[in-house]
Amino acid sequence: RFGSAQESIRYLSDFEKGYTNDKLCGLNVAPAIVNFTAAPRETTLNQTTSLKLRAEIASRESFSPISKVKVDLSAIGGAPDAEMFDDGAHGDELAGDRVYSLNISFNPKETGEKIFEAVAVDRLGWEGKQATSILVVE
C-alpha cells in the first residue's frame, strides 16, 4: 500500500498532468476589462475638450462583484484615481450594464499621446487593468 500511496502523491503533485487553466479554481480570478475607450481619439492643443471614457467589465458570474473602477487622469493633469460609474448617472448611460463611464472636460497644455489606465477592483481586492490613449495635436 505504501508504494501505491507514493505513486498517488507523485501524480497529485505533478502539475504537468491533468492540471490546465480550465481546471484551476475560479476564486482568484481578477476582473477583466474587455474594452476601454476614450472619445474623441484626437484633440487640439489649448482647446477645451469633452472626453468620454468607457470601460466595459467582463461578466463576473458567481465571482466577487466589482467594488470600484478607477482611471488615472494624471496624463492630463487630473486625479490619479478618478472613479468611474455604472449607475445611470455621472455621465453613465445605463445602470448595471457593466460599462463604467466618466465624462470630463479639460484643456490640453502640451501635445503628444496621453495614456489613461483603468483599474477594476473586485471585493476581494483582485485587480484588472487596461489602457487607452488620446492624441493631442497642434
Side-chain angles (χ1 to χ4, degrees):
R1 287 191 302 179
F2 185 67
S4 175
Q6 283 183 323
E7 186 60 35
S8 294
I9 290 170
R10 268 191 234 111
Y11 175 77
L12 291 173
S13 61
D14 184 357
F15 289 95
E16 300 299 319
K17 292 182 184 175
Y19 291 92
T20 64
N21 286 340
D22 297 336
K23 294 182 181 178
L24 290 176
C25 179
L27 293 177
N28 299 335
V29 175
I33 300 175
V34 178
N35 192 19
F36 181 40
T37 60
R41 300 286 299 160
E42 187 175 297
T43 188
T44 308
L45 187 67
N46 295 319
Q47 177 182 338
T48 301
T49 302
S50 293
L51 182 65
K52 296 177 182 182
L53 297 168
R54 303 287 182 266
E56 181 182 354
I57 310 300
S59 174
R60 297 294 290 158
E61 298 175 9
S62 62
F63 303 122
S64 291
I66 298 295
S67 65
K68 61 186 166 190
V69 177
K70 299 201 177 228
V71 62
D72 183 357
L73 300 175
S74 58
I76 57 172
D81 59 351
E83 188 169 357
M84 299 180 78
F85 299 94
D86 184 20
D87 60 0
H90 299 96
D92 185 54
E93 295 167 4
L94 183 63
D97 63 351
R98 297 187 325 263
V99 176
Y100 288 74
S101 306
L102 180 65
N103 295 340
I104 59 168
S105 290
F106 75 104
N107 192 350
K109 301 296 183 198
E110 56 186 35
T111 60
E113 183 180 34
K114 307 300 178 190
I115 299 172
F116 308 99
E117 184 177 60
V119 178
V121 182
D122 69 11
R123 293 213 174 128
L124 294 177
W126 290 87
E127 296 182 352
K129 297 179 181 181
Q130 183 76 269
T132 191
S133 65
I134 64 169
L135 184 62
V136 179
V137 297
E138 283 191 49

